[in-house]
Amino acid sequence: MNIKQVAKKARVSTATVSRIINDSSLVSPETARRVWRTIRQLNYHPDSQARSLVSGRSRILGLIISDITNPFFPELVKGFENLALQNHYEVILNNTNYDPARMATCVRRLLERRAEGVAIMTSEMDPELTDELAKRGIPIVFLDVGSVRNRISNIRVDYAQGIREAVDHLITGGHRRIGFISGPMSLKSACTRKSAFLKCWRAYGFAEDNGLIVEGNHKIDGGESAMSRLLQLKPRPTAILASNDLSAIGALGAIRLAGLRIPEDISVIGFDDIDFGQFTHPPLATIRLSRTELGGKAFNALYRILHGDSKKGEEYNVETHFVARESTGPAPQPGRQTQ
Amino acid sequence: MNIKQVAKKARVSTATVSRIINDSSLVSPETARRVWRTIRQLNYHPDSQARSLVSGRSRILGLIISDITNPFFPELVKGFENLALQNHYEVILNNTNYDPARMATCVRRLLERRAEGVAIMTSEMDPELTDELAKRGIPIVFLDVGSVRNRISNIRVDYAQGIREAVDHLITGGHRRIGFISGPMSLKSACTRKSAFLKCWRAYGFAEDNGLIVEGNHKIDGGESAMSRLLQLKPRPTAILASNDLSAIGALGAIRLAGLRIPEDISVIGFDDIDFGQFTHPPLATIRLSRTELGGKAFNALYRILHGDSKKGEEYNVETHFVARESTGPAPQPGRQTQ
DNA sequence: GGCGCAAATGTAATCGATTACATTCCAACT
DNA sequence: AGTTGGAATGTAATCGATTACATTTGCGCC
C-alpha cells in the first residue's frame, strides 16, 4: 500500500499523487478527485518516515519530564500534546524517572528520531546534553529553570506573584509566624520555590528564621513529617505555606493528628492547585500554577521558533495566583493558643 | 552527519559502518574500533527514520488511553513505557479525551508512523478502527475489554477476585446492607466493574436491590452526590463499595458532611488503590489493581507477538486484591444507628 | 606456484516518499 | 500559421540507512 500502487491504480505518476496529498492546487480537480477515490479504496496512508526522510522534517517533538506519576505533570503533558496534535506534530514523551543516565538516553533517542524540537522540565539536565541538541540546531525550551544558557528559550514561572498574594492574605488575617515546607533541595524547582518564598519574606521585613523552614520531599509523607517538626516549635507557627499541594496535604494530616483544627489553630496553603486540593478536608487553599498553560506555552515557544516567528532564547511567563479556600482563616488570638 | 560522512572520514564504505552499528561480528575488530572512534568524534546518530524505512521495522508502539489526567493512567503508562524503552521501542502516547473522532485521528497517525503494535485502553473504540490495524497485520492488545474479537489479544482484569475478598471482609464484619457507587454507564470499564460486583452479589445470595446501586461519574464530585443519595435510604447501608477510589473519596466527604463517622457508622471501600488513598482520613481501604503490572503485561503481550513467541488473540490476566485500611470496620449494631 | 576458501570490505539496489526539471498540450496572441 | 506561455503531468534524483551480491585479500595446502 505505497504511493506507487496508488499511482498505478489511478493511472497517474507518483509525483501527481504526492502533489494531491500535499497540496492539490497544482493538479486538475478532476484528477484529484479520481486519485482521492483510489486512495480511499486502497486505504492508503503515506509513510511518514519516508516523508520526513526526504523533507527533512520529522514533525516530532520531544517532551522530557521527570515522572508522569507525579500529579504535577499529566496536565502539563495534556496542554502540550493537545496543541501539538492540532498542529500535526507527534509528541514523544520521555520520563527520566529522576535518573541522569536515563536523561541521556532520552536525548539520544530524540536525536535519532530527528525530533524537531524539545521541551524539558526536569532537574537532572546535563549541559552537555543541551549542547548536543543545540549543536544540531534543534530548538530547546526549558520550563521553569532559573538560569538559562544562551539561545535556549525558557518559560518562567512567576512564583513571586502568587506567593505575595498568599502572604498578603495571611498577613491581613493577622498571621505573623508563617512556616514554610520546602521540597527536596536536590530538586532545582524546589529551590526556586523556596528562594521565591524567602525573597518575598525579606521584602516584608521579616527576619529569616530558619526554624520556620523545614524540608519535605514534595510528597505527602514528607509533608507530614515536616509539619510535625514545625508543630514542636514554640510558639507554634499560625500558618503554613507548602512548596506543593502534596506537602500541604501531608501537613493537614499531621495537624489533625496533633489534635489541632484547620484553620482555627493553623492555616495551610499549598502550591500548584492539583485537583485533589478541592476535596481535602478542609478544601486546600493554594497558589495556582496552570500546568495546562505551562505546557501550552512550551509548545507555542517551540512552534514559533520552528516557524521563524521568533528567535531562540526568548523568555515567556506563566503567572501564579492565590486561590482562597477553607484551609485558611484569621490567626488565632495569642492567648488562646491551645497546647 | 550521516553515514556517508562517517564512512568517508573513517576510510571505509557505508556498508561497513552500517555493519558496525548493527552487529560488528562481520567486521574486523580493528576497523570497528577505528570507526567507533570516528562515530564518537563526529557525534553521529543514525537516522531511525531511514533505518526503519529500509528495515520495515519502525520500533514504535502506540499506547492509546482516554486521558492522562485521570489518575488511573499515569502508572499504566509508566509500566508500559519502562519495558518498551528497555527493549528499544519508542512509545507514542495518545489521549483520546473520550472523543471517538480523536480516536480515529490517533489510529491514522499510528498507521502513518508505521507503528508495529498498539495497546488500547479506552471505551470509545470503533470496530472499524481495529480492523484498519488488523488488516495491516499490526498486533493489537486491548486492556480490560469484555468481549474481544478474533485475533486481538486482551489483558483481562480479574475484578471478581478482589471484590470477593472485599465483600467477604465486610460480611465477616457483620455487614449486610452494602451500597455500590458505580461509574458512568457510558464507560465500558465502569459497566464491567458494576457487573462483576452484581455477579459477586448474587453469588452471595443477596437480592438485587437497585436502590443500593447508584451511578457516579468516577470522579470525586460524583462520588459525593451518589453517596448523599445513598444516605437517604432507610435503613441506611452500613458499607459502601465504590467503582473507583475517586468515587470513594467523594463518598468519604459526603459521609463526613452528614455528620457520620467512618468506619463506625459506615465502612467505605474504594477500587484501584491510587496513591492518595493512603492519605485520606481515614486511610481508604481499597481493591488494588496494579496498573504498572497492567501496562507491563500489555507491552509483554505485544512483544511476544512481535517476536513470534505467541499468537495474536491470547488472553492475559491481572489479579485484584483487597487492601485493608482504616475506612472499614464492623457493622454498627442495628439499634445504635444514629439518624 | 596455483587453487580454494573464508574473512573483510565494497558496490549498488532498495525502502517510500518529495521535488527539481522536463515534457506535453492547448489556448491565446501577433 | 507560428510563437508564447501556462497548466497538468511525468521522469528521475534524492533523503540516509540496510543488505544482497560482488570483489578483494590473505592464508593454508597439495
Side-chain angles (χ1 to χ4, degrees):
Chain A
M1 226 68 66
N2 56 22
I3 201 173
K4 259 189 217 161
Q5 298 178 36
V6 174
K8 194 167 154 193
K9 182 127 198 268
R11 312 186 147 275
V12 291
S13 70
T14 61
T16 303
V17 178
S18 174
R19 285 188 193 106
I20 287 168
I21 291 169
N22 292 290
D23 175 16
S24 331
S25 71
L26 295 166
V27 180
S28 80
E30 188 199 357
T31 316
R33 261 196 304 281
R34 180 161 43 92
V35 174
W36 273 122
R37 206 177 316 129
T38 316
I39 287 176
R40 270 193 304 276
Q41 268 177 31
L42 296 181
N43 231 296
Y44 165 69
H45 292 271
D47 184 321
S48 38
Q49 332 233 26
R51 298 178 97 170
S52 49
L53 183 58
V54 48
S55 72
R57 312 203 45 209
S58 65
R59 301 208 75 86
I60 286 179
L61 299 178
L63 176 58
I64 305 182
I65 61 176
S66 304
D67 179 7
I68 189 69
T69 65
N70 177 333
F72 184 89
F73 288 112
E75 285 183 44
L76 183 141
V77 170
K78 199 173 175 181
F80 188 89
E81 214 172 31
N82 278 347
L83 284 182
L85 260 64
Q86 273 170 38
N87 291 281
H88 306 286
Y89 282 91
E90 209 74 61
V91 178
I92 294 191
L93 179 67
N94 295 275
N95 290 55
T96 64
N97 292 352
Y98 305 100
D99 173 3
R102 175 120 172 211
M103 178 67 175
T105 314
C106 291
V107 171
R108 187 170 46 70
R109 297 167 78 105
L110 289 173
L111 284 171
E112 294 185 356
R113 294 274 169 203
R114 300 294 188 259
E116 292 185 45
V118 181
I120 303 176
M121 182 161 190
T122 60
S123 284
E124 50 291 348
M125 190 61 194
D126 183 343
E128 273 192 38
L129 293 175
T130 54
D131 281 352
E132 279 308 309
L133 294 162
K135 231 184 292 173
R136 288 176 176 68
I138 300 171
I140 305 171
V141 173
F142 273 127
L143 288 86
D144 188 28
V145 172
S147 66
V148 164
R149 334 245 318 264
N150 200 22
R151 299 179 60 66
I152 292 186
S153 299
N154 185 29
I155 319 280
R156 262 191 71 242
V157 175
D158 182 6
Y159 292 110
Q161 173 66 17
I163 293 178
R164 213 177 307 125
E165 291 174 14
V167 173
D168 271 349
H169 173 87
L170 291 176
I171 286 180
T172 308
H175 294 271
R176 289 298 177 275
R177 253 182 100 65
I178 304 179
F180 183 75
I181 300 177
S182 80
M185 287 299 102
S186 53
L187 242 69
K188 208 176 289 171
S189 69
C191 297
T192 316
R193 287 170 181 213
K194 180 179 165 188
S195 54
F197 174 75
L198 278 174
K199 202 168 162 186
C200 173
W201 209 224
R202 283 191 291 264
Y204 276 92
F206 287 113
E208 215 169 289
D209 182 344
N210 280 325
L212 282 170
I213 298 182
V214 299
E215 184 171 338
N217 62 358
H218 271 180
K219 291 188 249 171
I220 294 177
D221 59 348
E224 276 177 340
S225 55
M227 188 66 224
S228 47
R229 266 175 288 154
L230 283 167
L231 286 174
Q232 285 159 12
L233 295 177
K234 310 206 181 226
R236 189 206 296 147
T238 63
I240 300 295
L241 219 91
S243 178
N244 75 348
D245 284 339
L246 292 179
S247 303
I249 291 170
L252 294 181
I255 294 169
R256 190 177 297 114
L257 200 70
L260 298 170
R261 295 157 305 160
I262 306 158
E264 292 80 356
D265 296 313
I266 300 189
S267 293
V268 177
I269 299 177
F271 210 122
D272 285 342
D273 193 20
I274 63 176
D275 285 344
F276 263 99
Q278 300 171 51
F279 300 101
T280 54
H281 288 277
L284 182 66
T286 190
I287 298 170
R288 171 176 302 151
L289 195 183
S290 167
R291 292 165 311 282
T292 309
E293 184 186 342
L294 193 56
K297 288 209 167 161
F299 172 79
N300 281 329
L302 284 178
Y303 185 87
R304 295 183 57 206
I305 296 171
L306 291 173
H307 290 253
D309 298 343
S310 96
K311 292 166 304 203
K312 294 177 190 177
E314 294 204 346
E315 290 257 337
Y316 298 79
N317 197 61
V318 174
E319 297 188 349
T320 62
H321 290 291
F322 177 64
V323 178
R325 293 209 193 95
E326 289 81 338
S327 68
T328 68
Q333 304 300 321
R336 285 175 46 206
Q337 206 179 63
T338 38
Q339 256 271 323
Chain B
M1 226 68 67
N2 56 23
I3 201 171
K4 259 190 219 160
Q5 298 177 36
V6 174
K8 194 167 154 195
K9 183 124 198 271
R11 313 186 147 274
V12 291
S13 71
T14 61
T16 303
V17 178
S18 175
R19 284 186 194 109
I20 287 168
I21 292 169
N22 292 290
D23 175 15
S24 330
S25 71
L26 295 166
V27 181
S28 80
E30 189 198 357
T31 316
R33 261 196 304 279
R34 180 161 42 95
V35 173
W36 273 122
R37 206 178 315 130
T38 318
I39 288 175
R40 270 193 304 276
Q41 266 176 35
L42 296 181
N43 231 297
Y44 164 69
H45 293 270
D47 184 321
S48 36
Q49 332 233 23
R51 299 179 97 170
S52 50
L53 183 59
V54 46
S55 72
R57 312 205 44 209
S58 65
R59 302 209 74 88
I60 285 178
L61 299 178
L63 176 58
I64 305 182
I65 61 175
S66 304
D67 179 7
I68 188 69
T69 65
N70 177 333
F72 184 89
F73 288 112
E75 285 182 44
L76 183 142
V77 170
K78 199 173 175 181
F80 188 88
E81 214 173 30
N82 277 348
L83 284 183
L85 261 64
Q86 273 170 37
N87 292 280
H88 307 286
Y89 281 92
E90 209 74 62
V91 177
I92 293 190
L93 179 66
N94 294 276
N95 289 56
T96 64
N97 292 351
Y98 304 100
D99 173 4
R102 175 116 174 215
M103 178 68 176
T105 313
C106 291
V107 171
R108 187 170 47 69
R109 296 167 79 105
L110 289 174
L111 285 171
E112 293 185 356
R113 293 275 169 202
R114 300 295 188 260
E116 292 185 45
V118 181
I120 303 176
M121 183 160 190
T122 60
S123 284
E124 50 291 346
M125 191 61 194
D126 183 343
E128 274 191 36
L129 292 174
T130 53
D131 281 352
E132 279 309 310
L133 294 162
K135 231 184 292 173
R136 287 177 176 69
I138 300 172
I140 305 170
V141 172
F142 274 127
L143 288 86
D144 189 27
V145 172
S147 66
V148 165
R149 334 242 320 262
N150 200 19
R151 298 179 59 67
I152 292 186
S153 300
N154 185 29
I155 318 281
R156 261 191 72 242
V157 176
D158 182 6
Y159 293 109
Q161 173 66 18
I163 293 178
R164 215 178 307 125
E165 291 174 14
V167 173
D168 271 349
H169 174 87
L170 291 175
I171 285 179
T172 307
H175 294 271
R176 290 298 176 274
R177 254 180 100 66
I178 305 178
F180 184 75
I181 300 176
S182 80
M185 287 299 103
S186 52
L187 243 69
K188 209 177 290 172
S189 69
C191 297
T192 316
R193 287 169 181 215
K194 180 179 164 187
S195 53
F197 174 75
L198 278 174
K199 202 168 161 187
C200 172
W201 210 223
R202 283 191 292 264
Y204 276 91
F206 287 113
E208 217 169 289
D209 181 345
N210 280 326
L212 281 171
I213 299 183
V214 298
E215 185 170 338
N217 62 358
H218 270 179
K219 291 188 251 174
I220 294 177
D221 59 349
E224 277 177 341
S225 55
M227 189 67 225
S228 47
R229 267 175 289 152
L230 283 167
L231 287 174
Q232 285 159 14
L233 296 177
K234 303 196 188 242
R236 189 207 297 148
T238 64
I240 301 294
L241 219 92
S243 178
N244 75 348
D245 284 339
L246 291 178
S247 303
I249 290 170
L252 294 181
I255 294 169
R256 189 176 297 113
L257 200 71
L260 298 171
R261 295 157 305 160
I262 306 158
E264 291 81 355
D265 296 312
I266 300 189
S267 294
V268 177
I269 299 177
F271 210 121
D272 284 343
D273 193 21
I274 63 176
D275 285 344
F276 264 100
Q278 300 171 51
F279 300 101
T280 55
H281 288 276
L284 181 66
T286 190
I287 298 170
R288 170 176 302 153
L289 196 182
S290 167
R291 298 172 297 292
T292 310
E293 184 186 342
L294 193 56
K297 288 209 166 161
F299 172 79
N300 281 329
L302 284 179
Y303 185 86
R304 295 183 57 205
I305 296 171
L306 290 172
H307 290 254
D309 298 343
S310 95
K311 292 166 302 201
K312 295 177 189 177
E314 294 204 347
E315 290 257 337
Y316 298 79
N317 197 61
V318 174
E319 297 188 350
T320 62
H321 289 291
F322 177 65
V323 178
R325 292 207 195 96
E326 289 81 338
S327 68
T328 68
Q333 304 300 323
R336 285 175 45 207
Q337 206 178 62
T338 38
Q339 251 276 317

